Amino acid sequence: MVQPEIETVETDVLVLGGGMAGCGAAYEAAYWAKTKGLKVAIVEKAAIERSGAVAMGLSAINLYLGMRWNQNKPEDFVHYVRQDLMGLSREDLVYDIARHVDSSVHLFEEWGLPIFKNADGTYKREGRWQIMIHGESYKPIVAEAAKTAVGDGNVYERIFAARLLLDAKDPSKIAGAVGFSVRENKIYVFKAKAVIVTAGGATGVFRPHSHGEGLGRIWYAPWNTGSAYSMMIQAGAKMTQMEHRLVVARFKDGYGPVGMWFLLFKAVLKNAKGELVEQKWADLLKEWEPYGSGKPIPTPLRNHQMMADFRAGGAPFYLMTDEAMQRMFQEAGNDPKKIREIEADAWEDFLDMTMSQALIWASDNIDPAKAPTEVVLTEPYLMGSHASGTGAWVSGPEDIAPKEYFWGYNRMTTIKGLFAAGDGVGGSAHKFSSGSHVEGRLAGKAAVAYILDNGATPTVDEGQIQAIKAELWKPFENYEKGKSGSTKDDINPNYLFPKMALHRLQKIMDEYAGGQGSQYITTEHMLQKGLDRLKVFKEDLQKQAARDLHDLLRCWEVWDRTWCAEAHMRHMLFRPETRWPGYYYRADYPTLDDKNWKVFVNSRYDASKGEWQLEKVPFLTNVS
Amino acid sequence: MPTYVNPDKCDGCRGLARTACMYICPNDLMKYDADLGKVFSKEHGMAFNQEPDLCWECFSCVKACPTGAIVMRGYADVVPLGATLTPLRATDSIMWTAKYRDGQTKRFKFPIRTTPWGSINPFKDFPEPSPADLKKETLYGEPKWLMVDQLPTLKK
């Protein structure tokens, strides 16, 4: 076993993760850092040009207000989010993203992102908040701006950030992070005055629909392994809404997006008998007031209607792409040129961001203009930037936040100098790509302000570095020590490989924590049993084995997902109600309880004791 | 549909600074193997997908491969065989060709960028930052880049 070399990097601002939020953070921090010649470094486990959830591109920007054309005000967006998330979000954070987001979108266009336009020069909208883009190169363009802003020497790619470091003299403060290269035997110690966690939310915590070669064909990027949450949980940052997962309706097997079809093409969802699911189950919504009668129908309630129809024998479900496209062809007077344009828009929606859907159509001989496509509900995800409120409990902006939600610097966590953005910040879903970028920028600016006010050089304990090094490299040791125990590598009593560990985690979560295989249902007893199984699983994770750096990366990704799984189960256990039917059901508490539970559930893990503390935190807002 | 590498076309990016697919894959799947060419009686190394069941079909490697050697094959446990989807990415546009299982073909071309690659000047036309502005709520370039007179706020 080759011991790793240790390389120490000293910087002022350290950005962990190079997705949309990370690029925003690096970009904005680099600008303000110029005031005092501060250094900004960005760390990414892949190549920033194609990393994060937008790696392959997008066909729409899901959040753009259009304030310059008086299309929307920030308050309007808060009202929409309030309704879709069944009442609970940090409205100060949501408002803050909404009021800034247009500036990032305008910069994207300036940098070279092609945006669809109407004849009057306004952006072409897919829905009230969404605009259409030719987004194949969305991420490479945003990456170019970020990398140019911080300078080549400050970009660290193919380095997996594994642990946050607290200050040796004052553990209430951040001191940096430790990661390892996935290309050479090297551990990186980053010493920093401020750290911004913009790493990914969690996919792969629950068992997906396909378990064979299609294991990776899930709705959201499989390289988003929950490291944003895992790193902050282990460092002792306060987390919020870790119970708030999301489940989405998507085209079957390809998981292609449905937003454009519903919003722009006005396609409808029908069951196998040709009934409109939303109409058939309209009465179900009355059980979930005040959100049930609000518009638009919240995403979990739409899922809830589909689940009810599934139990009543309505499946399979179809998105009527054929009806929608034929209607649009007719409206265009069946002009061949216009038909071609409509068809190109329909296909680009997938070819920009979910190419597999296009290949599945081709493989199934489906022409979406002539036949509908099956729709199913996905397994659950924890995505603080998308539609679950999972993430760190952070300070809001001074001019907007209730005083209880403000402690000095926008987007700073409960650890001094530790900031978050994107998937990392909880209680503020519906940021999507543009909102994540702008939230990264908010954190980037605040991090520089923090450093100028509190500029002490961090103290790092060398003993702690050595301990982390030994821990990170243990899977190599497990393999070397254990491999002589069997004539075949992958069946050995001394260790397990990360792929089997991943399957085991997904099985526990699917069966006990309300996965799609359990119809999203769980109870106190099920969660307790799941936590028991997770405890034993974590003991076995100490025996994970790695043959090479790729295996080592996977070992630590499984750990990240496991921390997310544990936080998720503990939070669900703490909330005795069903707030988001269609995302999950507490069968022992099957109703919504606004009177007692319209509150945030926050948690903190105390690493010194190995204990979790959970608490109710009042919901406050200054947005009327 | 996980990627596979066509051994007739992969030259291991010899002569280039790095193996394109290995550099770009977001999930650390594509791997260069210096000895793999020997299996096919070639003197150069080749790349392969080391973990197809964690491939998300993002096509990043397919688009980046300089010899067009990387192809998608539908997930064997999910997708019927026989169809192909092939991108051809230029500096300002991308062309996609979808060939159906039954033989029909569809082709689409979309723009990808309106400015030259490498042309971004991140903080163009904006003054040097001042520490006083650090305490304000405005981000770099705001309100100019918001294209409204001022940043909205709430009356508390």
Side-chain angles (χ1 to χ4, degrees), chain A residues 571-603:
Chain A
H571 273 245
M572 284 198 291
L573 194 57
F574 192 79
R575 179 181 285 282
E577 67 160 350
T578 296
R579 176 152 295 263
W580 306 279
Y583 287 173
Y584 74 89
Y585 300 86
R586 276 289 303 262
D588 43 356
Y589 297 95
T591 55
L592 184 135
D593 179 5
D594 252 0
K595 185 162 167 264
N596 297 302
W597 286 93
K598 194 182 173 184
V599 293
F600 295 104
V601 172
N602 287 5
S603 67

mmCIF file of all heavy atoms in Angstrom, chain A residues 571-603:
data_model
loop_
_atom_site.group_PDB
_atom_site.id
_atom_site.type_symbol
_atom_site.label_atom_id
_atom_site.label_comp_id
_atom_site.label_asym_id
_atom_site.label_seq_id
_atom_site.Cartn_x
_atom_site.Cartn_y
_atom_site.Cartn_z
ATOM 1 N N HIS A 571 -34.773 13.031 11.109
ATOM 2 C CA HIS A 571 -35.689 14.170 10.951
ATOM 3 C C HIS A 571 -37.128 13.698 10.727
ATOM 4 O O HIS A 571 -38.059 14.259 11.300
ATOM 5 C CB HIS A 571 -35.239 15.049 9.778
ATOM 6 C CG HIS A 571 -34.229 16.087 10.148
ATOM 7 N ND1 HIS A 571 -34.485 17.428 10.071
ATOM 8 C CD2 HIS A 571 -32.950 15.972 10.607
ATOM 9 C CE1 HIS A 571 -33.398 18.108 10.456
ATOM 10 N NE2 HIS A 571 -32.455 17.243 10.777
ATOM 11 N N MET A 572 -37.313 12.671 9.891
ATOM 12 C CA MET A 572 -38.681 12.171 9.649
ATOM 13 C C MET A 572 -39.301 11.650 10.946
ATOM 14 O O MET A 572 -40.485 11.827 11.205
ATOM 15 C CB MET A 572 -38.669 11.050 8.601
ATOM 16 C CG MET A 572 -38.485 11.562 7.182
ATOM 17 S SD MET A 572 -38.995 10.322 5.955
ATOM 18 C CE MET A 572 -37.722 9.114 6.171
ATOM 19 N N LEU A 573 -38.450 11.012 11.749
ATOM 20 C CA LEU A 573 -38.906 10.469 13.032
ATOM 21 C C LEU A 573 -39.361 11.589 13.971
ATOM 22 O O LEU A 573 -40.319 11.443 14.732
ATOM 23 C CB LEU A 573 -37.735 9.692 13.653
ATOM 24 C CG LEU A 573 -37.979 8.761 14.826
ATOM 25 C CD1 LEU A 573 -39.023 7.708 14.468
ATOM 26 C CD2 LEU A 573 -36.659 8.070 15.205
ATOM 27 N N PHE A 574 -38.683 12.730 13.888
ATOM 28 C CA PHE A 574 -38.963 13.839 14.804
ATOM 29 C C PHE A 574 -40.245 14.590 14.441
ATOM 30 O O PHE A 574 -40.838 15.255 15.285
ATOM 31 C CB PHE A 574 -37.771 14.817 14.776
ATOM 32 C CG PHE A 574 -37.798 15.851 15.869
ATOM 33 C CD1 PHE A 574 -37.387 15.523 17.159
ATOM 34 C CD2 PHE A 574 -38.216 17.144 15.619
ATOM 35 C CE1 PHE A 574 -37.407 16.465 18.178
ATOM 36 C CE2 PHE A 574 -38.234 18.101 16.639
ATOM 37 C CZ PHE A 574 -37.829 17.754 17.914
ATOM 38 N N ARG A 575 -40.670 14.486 13.174
ATOM 39 C CA ARG A 575 -41.845 15.248 12.711
ATOM 40 C C ARG A 575 -43.069 14.329 12.658
ATOM 41 O O ARG A 575 -43.280 13.618 11.673
ATOM 42 C CB ARG A 575 -41.570 15.860 11.331
ATOM 43 C CG ARG A 575 -42.747 16.646 10.746
ATOM 44 C CD ARG A 575 -42.441 17.210 9.366
ATOM 45 N NE ARG A 575 -41.556 18.362 9.379
ATOM 46 C CZ ARG A 575 -41.928 19.611 9.701
ATOM 47 N NH1 ARG A 575 -43.185 19.868 10.006
ATOM 48 N NH2 ARG A 575 -41.051 20.597 9.703
ATOM 49 N N PRO A 576 -43.951 14.364 13.695
ATOM 50 C CA PRO A 576 -45.088 13.447 13.728
ATOM 51 C C PRO A 576 -46.277 13.984 12.927
ATOM 52 O O PRO A 576 -47.321 14.308 13.483
ATOM 53 C CB PRO A 576 -45.413 13.356 15.222
ATOM 54 C CG PRO A 576 -44.986 14.687 15.760
ATOM 55 C CD PRO A 576 -43.865 15.193 14.902
ATOM 56 N N GLU A 577 -46.115 14.083 11.656
ATOM 57 C CA GLU A 577 -47.207 14.500 10.772
ATOM 58 C C GLU A 577 -46.837 14.094 9.353
ATOM 59 O O GLU A 577 -45.698 13.705 9.090
ATOM 60 C CB GLU A 577 -47.417 16.024 10.822
ATOM 61 C CG GLU A 577 -46.258 16.798 10.238
ATOM 62 C CD GLU A 577 -46.592 18.239 9.832
ATOM 63 O OE1 GLU A 577 -47.777 18.609 9.826
ATOM 64 O OE2 GLU A 577 -45.653 18.972 9.502
ATOM 65 N N THR A 578 -47.815 14.204 8.457
ATOM 66 C CA THR A 578 -47.546 14.029 7.032
ATOM 67 C C THR A 578 -47.720 15.394 6.385
ATOM 68 O O THR A 578 -48.834 15.821 6.108
ATOM 69 C CB THR A 578 -48.501 12.984 6.422
ATOM 70 O OG1 THR A 578 -48.229 11.716 7.042
ATOM 71 C CG2 THR A 578 -48.299 12.850 4.927
ATOM 72 N N ARG A 579 -46.608 16.102 6.211
ATOM 73 C CA ARG A 579 -46.695 17.460 5.661
ATOM 74 C C ARG A 579 -46.679 17.464 4.151
ATOM 75 O O ARG A 579 -47.287 18.325 3.524
ATOM 76 C CB ARG A 579 -45.555 18.335 6.199
ATOM 77 C CG ARG A 579 -45.517 19.752 5.579
ATOM 78 C CD ARG A 579 -44.932 20.784 6.473
ATOM 79 N NE ARG A 579 -45.743 20.980 7.657
ATOM 80 C CZ ARG A 579 -46.665 21.950 7.805
ATOM 81 N NH1 ARG A 579 -46.898 22.823 6.843
ATOM 82 N NH2 ARG A 579 -47.360 22.037 8.912
ATOM 83 N N TRP A 580 -45.952 16.512 3.569
ATOM 84 C CA TRP A 580 -45.797 16.494 2.112
ATOM 85 C C TRP A 580 -46.273 15.150 1.569
ATOM 86 O O TRP A 580 -45.467 14.313 1.165
ATOM 87 C CB TRP A 580 -44.343 16.740 1.731
ATOM 88 C CG TRP A 580 -43.754 17.997 2.314
ATOM 89 C CD1 TRP A 580 -43.905 19.263 1.835
ATOM 90 C CD2 TRP A 580 -42.904 18.102 3.485
ATOM 91 N NE1 TRP A 580 -43.215 20.150 2.632
ATOM 92 C CE2 TRP A 580 -42.593 19.470 3.639
ATOM 93 C CE3 TRP A 580 -42.393 17.177 4.399
ATOM 94 C CZ2 TRP A 580 -41.776 19.934 4.682
ATOM 95 C CZ3 TRP A 580 -41.595 17.638 5.431
ATOM 96 C CH2 TRP A 580 -41.299 19.005 5.563
ATOM 97 N N PRO A 581 -47.603 14.919 1.545
ATOM 98 C CA PRO A 581 -48.097 13.649 0.993
ATOM 99 C C PRO A 581 -47.658 13.604 -0.472
ATOM 100 O O PRO A 581 -47.604 14.639 -1.119
ATOM 101 C CB PRO A 581 -49.614 13.793 1.102
ATOM 102 C CG PRO A 581 -49.856 15.264 1.088
ATOM 103 C CD PRO A 581 -48.673 15.890 1.786
ATOM 104 N N GLY A 582 -47.322 12.420 -0.974
ATOM 105 C CA GLY A 582 -46.791 12.356 -2.335
ATOM 106 C C GLY A 582 -45.271 12.427 -2.339
ATOM 107 O O GLY A 582 -44.642 12.055 -3.312
ATOM 108 N N TYR A 583 -44.688 12.908 -1.237
ATOM 109 C CA TYR A 583 -43.232 12.784 -1.035
ATOM 110 C C TYR A 583 -42.974 11.650 -0.040
ATOM 111 O O TYR A 583 -42.187 10.764 -0.278
ATOM 112 C CB TYR A 583 -42.620 14.089 -0.525
ATOM 113 C CG TYR A 583 -42.514 15.189 -1.565
ATOM 114 C CD1 TYR A 583 -42.122 16.466 -1.198
ATOM 115 C CD2 TYR A 583 -42.779 14.953 -2.917
ATOM 116 C CE1 TYR A 583 -42.004 17.494 -2.145
ATOM 117 C CE2 TYR A 583 -42.676 15.972 -3.851
ATOM 118 C CZ TYR A 583 -42.286 17.241 -3.464
ATOM 119 O OH TYR A 583 -42.177 18.250 -4.381
ATOM 120 N N TYR A 584 -43.649 11.722 1.138
ATOM 121 C CA TYR A 584 -43.672 10.559 2.016
ATOM 122 C C TYR A 584 -44.863 10.656 2.958
ATOM 123 O O TYR A 584 -45.405 11.745 3.182
ATOM 124 C CB TYR A 584 -42.366 10.383 2.797
ATOM 125 C CG TYR A 584 -42.118 11.350 3.946
ATOM 126 C CD1 TYR A 584 -42.576 11.060 5.249
ATOM 127 C CD2 TYR A 584 -41.389 12.520 3.753
ATOM 128 C CE1 TYR A 584 -42.321 11.937 6.304
ATOM 129 C CE2 TYR A 584 -41.135 13.387 4.811
ATOM 130 C CZ TYR A 584 -41.605 13.098 6.074
ATOM 131 O OH TYR A 584 -41.363 13.956 7.118
ATOM 132 N N TYR A 585 -45.244 9.492 3.472
ATOM 133 C CA TYR A 585 -46.372 9.411 4.398
ATOM 134 C C TYR A 585 -45.895 8.833 5.720
ATOM 135 O O TYR A 585 -45.273 7.767 5.748
ATOM 136 C CB TYR A 585 -47.468 8.482 3.835
ATOM 137 C CG TYR A 585 -48.024 8.953 2.510
ATOM 138 C CD1 TYR A 585 -47.398 8.594 1.317
ATOM 139 C CD2 TYR A 585 -49.144 9.758 2.460
ATOM 140 C CE1 TYR A 585 -47.895 9.030 0.102
ATOM 141 C CE2 TYR A 585 -49.657 10.198 1.249
ATOM 142 C CZ TYR A 585 -49.022 9.833 0.065
ATOM 143 O OH TYR A 585 -49.508 10.273 -1.138
ATOM 144 N N ARG A 586 -46.168 9.531 6.812
ATOM 145 C CA ARG A 586 -46.024 8.908 8.127
ATOM 146 C C ARG A 586 -47.377 8.240 8.380
ATOM 147 O O ARG A 586 -48.332 8.891 8.796
ATOM 148 C CB ARG A 586 -45.752 9.984 9.186
ATOM 149 C CG ARG A 586 -44.293 10.403 9.326
ATOM 150 C CD ARG A 586 -43.404 9.348 9.959
ATOM 151 N NE ARG A 586 -43.859 8.930 11.272
ATOM 152 C CZ ARG A 586 -43.374 9.389 12.428
ATOM 153 N NH1 ARG A 586 -42.415 10.292 12.428
ATOM 154 N NH2 ARG A 586 -43.840 8.935 13.576
ATOM 155 N N ALA A 587 -47.468 6.940 8.139
ATOM 156 C CA ALA A 587 -48.762 6.254 8.229
ATOM 157 C C ALA A 587 -49.335 6.326 9.646
ATOM 158 O O ALA A 587 -50.551 6.232 9.835
ATOM 159 C CB ALA A 587 -48.615 4.799 7.785
ATOM 160 N N ASP A 588 -48.457 6.512 10.646
ATOM 161 C CA ASP A 588 -48.947 6.642 12.027
ATOM 162 C C ASP A 588 -49.412 8.070 12.344
ATOM 163 O O ASP A 588 -50.063 8.297 13.359
ATOM 164 C CB ASP A 588 -47.873 6.184 13.032
ATOM 165 C CG ASP A 588 -46.468 6.683 12.692
ATOM 166 O OD1 ASP A 588 -46.288 7.327 11.633
ATOM 167 O OD2 ASP A 588 -45.546 6.432 13.483
ATOM 168 N N TYR A 589 -49.077 9.025 11.506
ATOM 169 C CA TYR A 589 -49.558 10.412 11.630
ATOM 170 C C TYR A 589 -49.943 10.897 10.229
ATOM 171 O O TYR A 589 -49.200 11.645 9.599
ATOM 172 C CB TYR A 589 -48.471 11.321 12.220
ATOM 173 C CG TYR A 589 -48.057 10.955 13.627
ATOM 174 C CD1 TYR A 589 -46.948 10.137 13.858
ATOM 175 C CD2 TYR A 589 -48.796 11.422 14.718
ATOM 176 C CE1 TYR A 589 -46.572 9.802 15.148
ATOM 177 C CE2 TYR A 589 -48.417 11.082 16.008
ATOM 178 C CZ TYR A 589 -47.307 10.266 16.214
ATOM 179 O OH TYR A 589 -46.932 9.937 17.487
ATOM 180 N N PRO A 590 -51.104 10.452 9.734
ATOM 181 C CA PRO A 590 -51.383 10.607 8.297
ATOM 182 C C PRO A 590 -51.889 11.974 7.862
ATOM 183 O O PRO A 590 -52.189 12.146 6.679
ATOM 184 C CB PRO A 590 -52.448 9.535 8.037
ATOM 185 C CG PRO A 590 -53.130 9.342 9.349
ATOM 186 C CD PRO A 590 -52.131 9.648 10.420
ATOM 187 N N THR A 591 -51.981 12.937 8.791
ATOM 188 C CA THR A 591 -52.516 14.233 8.365
ATOM 189 C C THR A 591 -51.504 15.356 8.596
ATOM 190 O O THR A 591 -50.533 15.203 9.338
ATOM 191 C CB THR A 591 -53.802 14.589 9.142
ATOM 192 O OG1 THR A 591 -53.513 14.524 10.542
ATOM 193 C CG2 THR A 591 -54.923 13.620 8.804
ATOM 194 N N LEU A 592 -51.814 16.491 7.976
ATOM 195 C CA LEU A 592 -50.991 17.685 8.127
ATOM 196 C C LEU A 592 -51.426 18.407 9.403
ATOM 197 O O LEU A 592 -52.611 18.509 9.677
ATOM 198 C CB LEU A 592 -51.201 18.581 6.898
ATOM 199 C CG LEU A 592 -50.372 19.850 6.784
ATOM 200 C CD1 LEU A 592 -49.845 19.961 5.356
ATOM 201 C CD2 LEU A 592 -51.177 21.082 7.097
ATOM 202 N N ASP A 593 -50.459 18.886 10.173
ATOM 203 C CA ASP A 593 -50.758 19.500 11.467
ATOM 204 C C ASP A 593 -50.109 20.887 11.522
ATOM 205 O O ASP A 593 -49.082 21.080 12.161
ATOM 206 C CB ASP A 593 -50.218 18.573 12.571
ATOM 207 C CG ASP A 593 -50.462 19.131 13.963
ATOM 208 O OD1 ASP A 593 -51.130 20.185 14.095
ATOM 209 O OD2 ASP A 593 -49.957 18.522 14.927
ATOM 210 N N ASP A 594 -50.732 21.865 10.845
ATOM 211 C CA ASP A 594 -50.164 23.215 10.799
ATOM 212 C C ASP A 594 -50.095 23.861 12.183
ATOM 213 O O ASP A 594 -49.228 24.680 12.457
ATOM 214 C CB ASP A 594 -51.002 24.107 9.857
ATOM 215 C CG ASP A 594 -50.262 24.404 8.548
ATOM 216 O OD1 ASP A 594 -49.132 23.924 8.381
ATOM 217 O OD2 ASP A 594 -50.830 25.124 7.711
ATOM 218 N N LYS A 595 -51.051 23.478 13.061
ATOM 219 C CA LYS A 595 -51.122 24.112 14.376
ATOM 220 C C LYS A 595 -49.845 23.858 15.186
ATOM 221 O O LYS A 595 -49.289 24.759 15.798
ATOM 222 C CB LYS A 595 -52.347 23.571 15.125
ATOM 223 C CG LYS A 595 -52.596 24.229 16.453
ATOM 224 C CD LYS A 595 -54.032 23.990 16.929
ATOM 225 C CE LYS A 595 -54.165 24.370 18.385
ATOM 226 N NZ LYS A 595 -54.018 23.213 19.286
ATOM 227 N N ASN A 596 -49.368 22.630 15.160
ATOM 228 C CA ASN A 596 -48.200 22.288 15.976
ATOM 229 C C ASN A 596 -46.893 22.147 15.185
ATOM 230 O O ASN A 596 -45.815 22.216 15.762
ATOM 231 C CB ASN A 596 -48.448 20.962 16.700
ATOM 232 C CG ASN A 596 -49.600 21.069 17.666
ATOM 233 O OD1 ASN A 596 -49.576 21.892 18.575
ATOM 234 N ND2 ASN A 596 -50.640 20.266 17.442
ATOM 235 N N TRP A 597 -47.005 21.902 13.880
ATOM 236 C CA TRP A 597 -45.797 21.537 13.137
ATOM 237 C C TRP A 597 -45.480 22.414 11.936
ATOM 238 O O TRP A 597 -44.693 22.021 11.078
ATOM 239 C CB TRP A 597 -45.828 20.049 12.763
ATOM 240 C CG TRP A 597 -45.547 19.234 13.989
ATOM 241 C CD1 TRP A 597 -46.458 18.706 14.849
ATOM 242 C CD2 TRP A 597 -44.254 18.948 14.530
ATOM 243 N NE1 TRP A 597 -45.825 18.094 15.898
ATOM 244 C CE2 TRP A 597 -44.470 18.218 15.732
ATOM 245 C CE3 TRP A 597 -42.938 19.223 14.143
ATOM 246 C CZ2 TRP A 597 -43.405 17.782 16.527
ATOM 247 C CZ3 TRP A 597 -41.885 18.773 14.925
ATOM 248 C CH2 TRP A 597 -42.124 18.063 16.107
ATOM 249 N N LYS A 598 -46.079 23.612 11.889
ATOM 250 C CA LYS A 598 -45.602 24.553 10.868
ATOM 251 C C LYS A 598 -44.353 25.224 11.436
ATOM 252 O O LYS A 598 -44.315 26.422 11.747
ATOM 253 C CB LYS A 598 -46.674 25.573 10.495
ATOM 254 C CG LYS A 598 -46.317 26.308 9.216
ATOM 255 C CD LYS A 598 -47.318 27.355 8.818
ATOM 256 C CE LYS A 598 -46.753 28.126 7.628
ATOM 257 N NZ LYS A 598 -47.626 29.223 7.238
ATOM 258 N N VAL A 599 -43.344 24.415 11.627
ATOM 259 C CA VAL A 599 -42.066 24.841 12.220
ATOM 260 C C VAL A 599 -40.941 24.116 11.469
ATOM 261 O O VAL A 599 -41.185 23.110 10.791
ATOM 262 C CB VAL A 599 -41.973 24.437 13.707
ATOM 263 C CG1 VAL A 599 -42.971 25.209 14.544
ATOM 264 C CG2 VAL A 599 -42.165 22.934 13.890
ATOM 265 N N PHE A 600 -39.745 24.638 11.588
ATOM 266 C CA PHE A 600 -38.595 23.936 11.028
ATOM 267 C C PHE A 600 -38.122 22.880 12.009
ATOM 268 O O PHE A 600 -38.214 23.071 13.227
ATOM 269 C CB PHE A 600 -37.450 24.911 10.753
ATOM 270 C CG PHE A 600 -37.783 25.926 9.696
ATOM 271 C CD1 PHE A 600 -38.099 27.231 10.042
ATOM 272 C CD2 PHE A 600 -37.794 25.569 8.353
ATOM 273 C CE1 PHE A 600 -38.407 28.164 9.073
ATOM 274 C CE2 PHE A 600 -38.110 26.495 7.374
ATOM 275 C CZ PHE A 600 -38.416 27.790 7.736
ATOM 276 N N VAL A 601 -37.628 21.763 11.476
ATOM 277 C CA VAL A 601 -36.925 20.788 12.311
ATOM 278 C C VAL A 601 -35.436 20.962 12.029
ATOM 279 O O VAL A 601 -34.997 20.799 10.885
ATOM 280 C CB VAL A 601 -37.374 19.349 11.998
ATOM 281 C CG1 VAL A 601 -36.497 18.342 12.737
ATOM 282 C CG2 VAL A 601 -38.838 19.157 12.372
ATOM 283 N N ASN A 602 -34.703 21.343 13.054
ATOM 284 C CA ASN A 602 -33.255 21.513 12.910
ATOM 285 C C ASN A 602 -32.524 20.430 13.702
ATOM 286 O O ASN A 602 -33.024 19.953 14.727
ATOM 287 C CB ASN A 602 -32.811 22.894 13.421
ATOM 288 C CG ASN A 602 -33.218 24.010 12.456
ATOM 289 O OD1 ASN A 602 -33.912 23.754 11.470
ATOM 290 N ND2 ASN A 602 -32.785 25.216 12.746
ATOM 291 N N SER A 603 -31.344 20.077 13.228
ATOM 292 C CA SER A 603 -30.558 19.065 13.950
ATOM 293 C C SER A 603 -29.100 19.481 14.007
ATOM 294 O O SER A 603 -28.630 20.280 13.184
ATOM 295 C CB SER A 603 -30.651 17.711 13.246
ATOM 296 O OG SER A 603 -30.015 17.768 11.992
#
